[in-house]
Amino acid sequence: MILSSTQTIPEHSAVPRHLAIIMDGNGRWATRRLLPRTAGHMRGVQSVRRVVEGCGKAGVKYLTLFAFSSENWRRPSDEVSLLMRLFVQTLEKEVHKLEKQGVRLRVVGDLSRFEPKLQQLIKDAEEKTAHNDTLHLTIAANYGGRWDILNATRQLLLAQPELAQHPEKITEADFSEYLSMAFAPEPDLFIRTGGEQRISNFLIWQLAYTELYFTDVYWPDFGAKHLQTAFEWYQNRERRFGRTSAQL
Ligand code: IPE
Ligand code: IPE
Ligand code: MG
């Protein structure tokens, strides 16, 4: 069972065990260069490669990347289509490499809205890399923190309908088992690129005690050196989990 930051004091080390990133700023990166927004998304894939590699080297065990939110369907349809195509292409191209690098890939979110081909590619990629354990890479796609919480509630009640009669018996542990990130510890470090300081419906339950790091760097410009800077910042945080400084 994965320990919870509110039920126990989680162990933590100099390097985050779990890093969660909102990869933001692709569109503005492109617009600044008088390029279509989609050029920024394409360029952003290179940053994903750099960050996966950097995390592997640093010894991060879990890396979770927000690729498409449940609200991103509101974007112009040509941008949404390009993002879906890019997702398909990247899976087709990269899975073999990830497998060899010891990366276990998972995709979390409401996948039912994706076209069958993409759903199948995701399933295949997860199966192909299921034996790996060096780095657990999770892509959040059509993901929303509120969807996750509602979904977990529904799954819990479906599995244990008697709890509806005894809601006082529901524990945090029972509930969190049904969240889509139940296999991972809670994120130690969160990074959002692109200058905005908000969570945008990412892992709202899991970020309860995560250190939040915001940078103005646009995602396509983000690389190993920026990652290193974020890790150094993280090392200087005092993670109190509710206690006082003197108690640490
Ligand atoms: C993040 O970059 C990628 C996705 C949300 C898919 P944006 O596309 O949000 O870039 P900005 O924020 O408009 O610059
Ligand atoms: C959050 O970025 C989602 C992803 C990076 C996938 P957005 O660009 O969609 O967030 P808002 O709309 O600025 O909050
Ligand atoms: Mg954005």
Side-chain angles (χ1 to χ4, degrees), residues 190-247:
F190 159 98
I191 298 176
R192 182 171 185 146
T193 62
E196 307 298 348
Q197 304 201 359
R198 54 180 171 248
I199 302 295
S200 301
N201 198 14
F202 193 24
L203 303 163
I204 50 182
W205 171 281
Q206 296 85 346
L207 292 174
Y209 271 103
T210 304
E211 300 297 332
L212 307 178
Y213 180 85
F214 299 94
T215 169
D216 289 337
V217 175
Y218 293 138
W219 179 248
D221 288 327
F222 194 85
K225 121 177 159 277
H226 302 104
L227 189 63
Q228 195 49 45
T229 306
F231 287 162
E232 281 162 18
W233 176 88
Y234 171 77
Q235 278 162 20
N236 288 315
R237 295 301 96 204
E238 188 174 81
R239 304 194 71 192
R240 293 192 285 275
F241 298 102
R243 298 161 300 172
T244 68
S245 235
Q247 287 176 290

Side-chain angles (χ1 to χ4, degrees), residues 99-163:
E99 197 210 335
K100 283 201 298 194
Q101 290 171 342
V103 176
R104 176 164 184 177
L105 182 75
R106 291 182 181 87
V107 181
V108 296
D110 182 2
L111 307 186
S112 67
R113 199 161 161 190
F114 293 140
E115 61 173 72
K117 180 185 174 182
L118 179 51
Q119 291 189 42
Q120 189 59 46
L121 272 170
I122 290 169
K123 203 164 160 261
D124 293 347
E126 289 183 335
E127 280 170 12
K128 256 189 220 152
T129 61
H131 60 281
N132 282 337
D133 187 42
T134 308
L135 174 67
H136 293 249
L137 170 64
T138 304
I139 306 295
N142 192 20
Y143 178 87
R146 291 187 179 180
W147 164 83
D148 201 2
I149 290 170
L150 265 180
N151 185 56
T153 309
R154 292 180 184 133
Q155 300 302 323
L156 171 67
L157 287 177
L158 275 173
Q160 300 177 58
E162 67 282 3
L163 285 178

Side-chain angles (χ1 to χ4, degrees), residues 55-115:
C55 283
K57 279 194 189 140
V60 170
K61 200 78 194 160
Y62 297 86
L63 171 64
T64 304
L65 303 175
F66 204 5
F68 192 87
S69 76
S70 44
E71 290 70 57
N72 285 146
W73 298 104
R74 297 168 177 166
R75 294 188 177 199
S77 63
D78 57 342
E79 182 168 339
V80 172
S81 313
L82 179 282
L83 284 167
M84 293 302 144
R85 245 180 301 142
L86 203 57
F87 199 4
V88 168
Q89 282 170 13
T90 308
L91 282 173
E92 285 176 338
K93 234 175 83 185
E94 306 285 333
V95 170
H96 182 61
K97 219 185 314 166
L98 293 176
E99 197 210 335
K100 283 201 298 194
Q101 290 171 342
V103 176
R104 176 164 184 177
L105 182 75
R106 291 182 181 87
V107 181
V108 296
D110 182 2
L111 307 186
S112 67
R113 199 161 161 190
F114 293 140
E115 61 173 72

